[in-house]
Amino acid sequence: MKARKIVDGVQWMGVIDWDRRLFDALIPLPDGTSYNAYLVQGSEKTALLDTVDPETWPLLERQLENVPRLDYVVIQHAEQDHSGSLPMVLERYPEAVVLTHKKCQTILETHLEFPHERIRAVEDGDSVDLGGKTLQFHYVPWVHWPDTMATFLPEDGILFSCDFFGSHWADSELFAGEKHEVMDAAKRYFAEIMMPFKPQIRKHLETVKELNPKMIAPSHGPVFDRAAFIRDAWDEWVNASPKNSVLLLYVSMHGSTEAMARILVEELADRGVRVRQIELTQADLGKIAAELVDAGTILIGTPTVVSGPHPFALNAAALANLLKPKAMFAGIFGSMGWGGKVVQKLAAALPDFKGELLEPVLCKGLPDAEAAGKLAELAETIATKHREAGLGE
Ligand code: FEO
């Protein structure tokens, strides 16, 4: 992909990685991703904002063929998908100075080999004049590392936000417009990477509202040419109450736990509670994460294996614990052959869950009438608690 103009003096550079399928050895990328760098050219000086994953450096190098001089390389975040090509950029431009926050400086120095004396640390609120183009630096830690800063270009109203507002979405179109598929990818990205940092992001969203950018140019995915489209979505994901919905995650070995899941779905639906049911052996981690953004209650269903939960159920509990969703209630259900410690072991995998753990429902073998009654009671409890908490659509 060639470099592309965003406005006069500002170009997108970078790489569309259509075929990447896994990030951080954890996050599935069904739609690929991009590593976005941006070139800002003033009347006096030129700056490159971020670089690209080092494996894709030759593609950025080709885009830089028409850039004879770089005064600054702004590194907004030290993770390698953005900083990894910095040594190559500095070798190509021996005059270039690295501008980065001091938190990022420390991480860069421990992860990358390059002449560290070429770094000039900047603080929150500092700015650099390129000649008619000003780069204002805003420290936005914990989106999702402690080092990150965003850069505002007031003359054009563009906020270069790094991972903040990103999406793992490969697209030949530069701008997101208001495409729902980009929004779906952005929600998934928020859920997988940013959801644990809601308190910090809440504060940064206020900064973004004050800056009131026209465009938001993240380091992954398309540029949001209608900034409010993505800003308002993040505002809802971070600040709105969870919804009157249940995320039901289950695994079943011989059909009994699955039968319990079916009863629960029917009983909840009868009471006006929306359910998203996901079977865990074939589950997409990103889809689970995205559903966790809004769920009012998380239910995990598991058979007893040896004396505890199925490992897939434990894995789902660990994921829910890690991502710190807004859910106010959680519950455990499942079937066993003769006994075990499913509830204790599954609950122990949720040490950071701050909501209420509901009375579990366990049965031996297939759910009989008594078990069906208990599942109906659990559904009634959930519907009542959602109503009392004011959870809506
Ligand atoms: Fe896209 Fe945190 O790196």
Side-chain angles (χ1 to χ4, degrees):
M1 192 69 74
K2 295 176 187 166
R4 285 183 291 176
K5 175 180 160 181
I6 297 177
V7 295
D8 285 342
V10 181
Q11 293 181 69
W12 172 90
M13 290 189 166
V15 175
I16 312 290
D17 198 343
W18 299 91
D19 300 324
R20 185 159 178 179
R21 287 292 170 265
L22 195 63
F23 203 89
D24 287 348
L26 176 66
I27 296 166
L29 302 181
D31 303 304
T33 190
S34 70
Y35 319 112
N36 302 337
Y38 297 95
L39 191 75
V40 182
Q41 293 175 291
S43 58
E44 307 289 330
K45 293 185 173 171
T46 298
L48 180 70
L49 275 63
D50 291 321
T51 70
V52 293
D53 189 288
E55 289 189 15
T56 61
W57 157 246
L59 298 172
L60 177 61
E61 186 177 31
R62 207 169 66 198
Q63 294 165 342
L64 288 167
E65 278 170 7
N66 298 324
V67 182
R69 179 186 165 86
L70 264 190
D71 299 280
Y72 302 114
V73 186
V74 178
I75 297 293
Q76 303 188 107
H77 171 37
E79 198 166 9
Q80 309 280 295
D81 51 325
H82 310 297
S83 70
S85 296
L86 177 62
M88 294 79 112
V89 174
L90 292 178
E91 194 174 332
R92 182 183 172 89
Y93 296 101
E95 71 284 2
V97 170
V98 180
L99 302 179
T100 194
H101 191 270
K102 61 186 175 195
K103 281 274 185 192
C104 190
Q105 176 180 4
T106 309
I107 302 173
L108 285 176
E109 288 177 351
T110 53
H111 282 74
L112 294 176
E113 291 182 3
F114 65 94
H116 295 161
E117 64 277 10
R118 291 177 68 180
I119 294 181
R120 198 173 100 204
V122 295
E123 301 277 351
D124 180 52
D126 282 356
S127 60
V128 167
D129 182 7
L130 304 179
K133 301 273 188 201
T134 310
L135 302 180
Q136 293 178 353
F137 303 117
H138 295 271
Y139 182 44
V140 287
W142 298 112
V143 287
H144 56 134
W145 280 18
D147 61 341
T148 308
M149 66 180 194
T151 304
F152 188 52
L153 177 57
E155 289 85 354
D156 297 301
I158 302 174
L159 180 68
F160 301 97
S161 58
C162 199
D163 282 344
F164 195 12
F165 300 117
S167 57
H168 285 312
W169 180 259
D171 201 316
S172 63
E173 293 190 338
L174 177 59
F175 296 113
E178 296 195 358
K179 293 190 195 90
H180 69 86
E181 61 267 32
V182 179
M183 182 55 71
D184 290 347
K187 184 173 187 179
R188 183 181 168 110
Y189 178 97
F190 166 83
E192 293 164 330
I193 299 166
M194 301 295 178
M195 192 154 58
F197 305 104
K198 288 191 297 296
Q200 295 90 339
I201 292 170
R202 194 167 286 130
K203 198 171 124 236
H204 301 328
L205 284 171
E206 292 307 311
T207 303
V208 174
K209 283 179 194 166
E210 282 168 26
L211 293 173
N212 195 23
K214 285 187 221 157
M215 286 193 211
I216 292 179
S219 296
H220 296 289
V223 172
F224 290 95
D225 45 336
R226 298 171 199 178
F229 180 57
I230 189 69
R231 188 202 62 203
D232 293 351
W234 274 61
D235 195 25
E236 183 185 330
W237 300 334
V238 169
N239 289 315
S241 298
K243 297 192 189 314
N244 178 28
S245 68
V246 167
L247 175 60
L248 189 154
L249 307 168
Y250 82 99
V251 55
S252 187
M253 293 166 75
H254 301 293
S256 301
T257 303
E258 184 181 3
M260 296 177 82
R262 270 201 304 273
I263 294 169
L264 270 170
V265 173
E266 284 179 7
E267 296 290 352
L268 286 162
D270 281 351
R271 290 165 174 80
V273 181
R274 181 172 187 250
V275 189
R276 299 292 296 159
Q277 174 181 312
I278 298 181
E279 196 279 323
L280 289 168
T281 62
Q282 305 297 321
D284 170 353
L285 181 151
K287 188 172 174 189
I288 295 175
E291 293 292 344
L292 282 169
V293 173
D294 298 320
T297 294
I298 305 162
L299 290 178
I300 303 178
T302 179
T304 300
V305 182
V306 187
S307 65
H310 191 291
F312 282 34
L314 265 179
N315 193 38
L319 180 70
N321 185 68
L322 175 78
L323 295 179
K324 297 185 169 65
K326 290 186 282 193
M328 300 171 75
F329 311 101
I332 295 165
F333 67 95
S335 173
M336 68 184 105
W338 42 88
K341 293 188 174 175
V342 159
V343 173
Q344 298 92 315
K345 291 184 178 179
L346 210 44
L350 292 164
D352 298 326
F353 178 65
K354 301 284 186 261
E356 180 183 349
L357 201 55
L358 304 173
E359 189 67 31
V361 179
L362 299 179
C363 71
K364 287 189 177 171
L366 282 166
D368 56 12
E370 185 187 348
K374 286 185 179 169
L375 291 167
E377 276 175 33
L378 176 58
E380 180 62 28
T381 301
I382 291 169
T384 303
K385 286 186 180 287
H386 280 198
R387 203 165 43 246
E388 288 172 354
L391 306 191
E393 295 313 309

Coordinates of all heavy atoms in Angstrom, one line a residue, residues 23 77 79-82 143-145 162-163 168 189 193 219-220, ligand 1:
F23 N -2.3 -12.2 17.8 CA -1.5 -11.1 18.3 C -1.1 -11.5 19.7 O -2.0 -12.0 20.5 CB -2.4 -9.9 18.3 CG -1.6 -8.6 18.3 CD1 -1.2 -8.0 17.1 CD2 -1.3 -8.0 19.5 CE1 -0.4 -6.9 17.1 CE2 -0.5 -6.8 19.5 CZ -0.1 -6.3 18.3
H77 N 4.4 4.7 22.0 CA 4.2 3.5 22.7 C 5.3 2.5 22.4 O 5.6 2.4 21.2 CB 2.8 3.0 22.4 CG 2.4 1.6 22.8 ND1 2.7 1.1 24.1 CD2 1.6 0.7 22.3 CE1 2.2 -0.1 24.2 NE2 1.5 -0.4 23.1
E79 N 5.5 -0.9 22.5 CA 5.2 -2.2 22.1 C 5.8 -2.3 20.6 O 5.6 -1.4 19.8 CB 3.8 -2.6 22.2 CG 3.6 -4.1 22.1 CD 2.2 -4.6 22.5 OE1 1.3 -3.8 22.8 OE2 2.0 -5.8 22.7
Q80 N 6.3 -3.5 20.3 CA 7.1 -3.7 19.1 C 6.3 -3.5 17.8 O 6.9 -3.2 16.8 CB 7.7 -5.1 19.1 CG 8.4 -5.5 20.4 CD 9.8 -4.9 20.4 OE1 10.7 -5.2 19.6 NE2 10.1 -4.0 21.4
D81 N 5.0 -3.7 17.9 CA 4.3 -3.5 16.6 C 4.3 -2.0 16.2 O 4.0 -1.7 15.0 CB 2.8 -4.0 16.7 CG 2.1 -3.5 18.0 OD1 2.7 -3.3 19.0 OD2 0.9 -3.3 17.9
H82 N 4.7 -1.1 17.0 CA 4.8 0.3 16.7 C 6.2 0.8 16.7 O 6.6 1.7 16.0 CB 3.9 1.2 17.6 CG 2.5 0.6 17.6 ND1 1.7 0.6 16.5 CD2 1.8 0.1 18.7 CE1 0.5 0.0 16.9 NE2 0.6 -0.3 18.1
V143 N -3.3 2.6 28.3 CA -4.1 2.2 27.1 C -3.2 1.4 26.2 O -3.0 1.8 25.0 CB -4.7 3.4 26.3 CG1 -5.8 4.1 27.1 CG2 -3.7 4.4 25.9
H144 N -2.7 0.4 26.6 CA -2.8 -0.5 27.6 C -1.5 -0.7 28.4 O -1.5 -1.6 29.3 CB -3.3 -1.8 27.1 CG -2.4 -2.4 26.0 ND1 -1.9 -3.7 25.9 CD2 -1.7 -1.7 25.0 CE1 -1.1 -3.8 24.9 NE2 -1.0 -2.7 24.3
W145 N -0.5 0.0 28.1 CA 0.8 0.0 28.8 C 0.9 1.3 29.6 O 0.2 2.3 29.3 CB 1.9 -0.2 27.8 CG 2.2 -1.6 27.3 CD1 1.3 -2.7 27.4 CD2 3.4 -2.1 26.7 NE1 1.9 -3.8 26.8 CE2 3.2 -3.5 26.4 CE3 4.6 -1.6 26.4 CZ2 4.1 -4.3 25.8 CZ3 5.6 -2.4 25.8 CH2 5.3 -3.7 25.5
C162 N -2.6 6.3 19.0 CA -1.9 5.1 19.2 C -2.9 3.9 19.4 O -3.8 3.9 18.6 CB -0.9 5.2 20.4 SG 0.3 3.9 20.3
D163 N -2.7 3.0 20.4 CA -3.6 1.9 20.5 C -5.0 2.4 20.9 O -6.0 1.7 20.6 CB -3.1 0.9 21.6 CG -2.0 0.0 21.1 OD1 -1.8 -0.1 19.9 OD2 -1.3 -0.6 21.9
H168 N -8.4 -4.0 15.2 CA -7.7 -5.0 14.4 C -8.6 -5.3 13.2 O -9.4 -6.2 13.2 CB -7.4 -6.3 15.2 CG -6.3 -6.1 16.2 ND1 -5.1 -5.5 15.9 CD2 -6.2 -6.4 17.5 CE1 -4.3 -5.5 16.9 NE2 -4.9 -6.0 17.9
Y189 N -11.7 -5.1 19.9 CA -10.4 -4.7 20.3 C -10.4 -4.1 21.7 O -9.5 -4.3 22.5 CB -9.9 -3.6 19.2 CG -8.6 -3.0 19.5 CD1 -7.4 -3.5 18.8 CD2 -8.4 -1.9 20.3 CE1 -6.2 -2.9 19.0 CE2 -7.2 -1.3 20.5 CZ -6.1 -1.8 19.9 OH -4.9 -1.2 20.1
I193 N -8.3 -5.8 24.8 CA -7.1 -5.2 25.2 C -7.3 -4.1 26.2 O -6.5 -3.9 27.1 CB -6.4 -4.6 23.9 CG1 -6.1 -5.7 23.0 CG2 -5.1 -3.8 24.3 CD1 -5.7 -5.3 21.6
S219 N -3.3 3.7 15.8 CA -2.2 2.9 15.3 C -2.6 1.6 14.7 O -1.7 0.9 14.2 CB -1.1 2.8 16.3 OG -0.6 4.0 16.7
H220 N -3.8 1.2 14.9 CA -4.4 0.0 14.2 C -5.7 0.3 13.6 O -6.5 1.0 14.2 CB -4.6 -1.1 15.2 CG -3.4 -1.6 15.9 ND1 -2.4 -2.4 15.3 CD2 -3.0 -1.5 17.2 CE1 -1.5 -2.7 16.1 NE2 -1.8 -2.2 17.3
Ligands
FEO1 FE1 -0.5 -2.0 19.1 FE2 0.2 -2.0 22.4 O1 0.6 -2.2 20.6

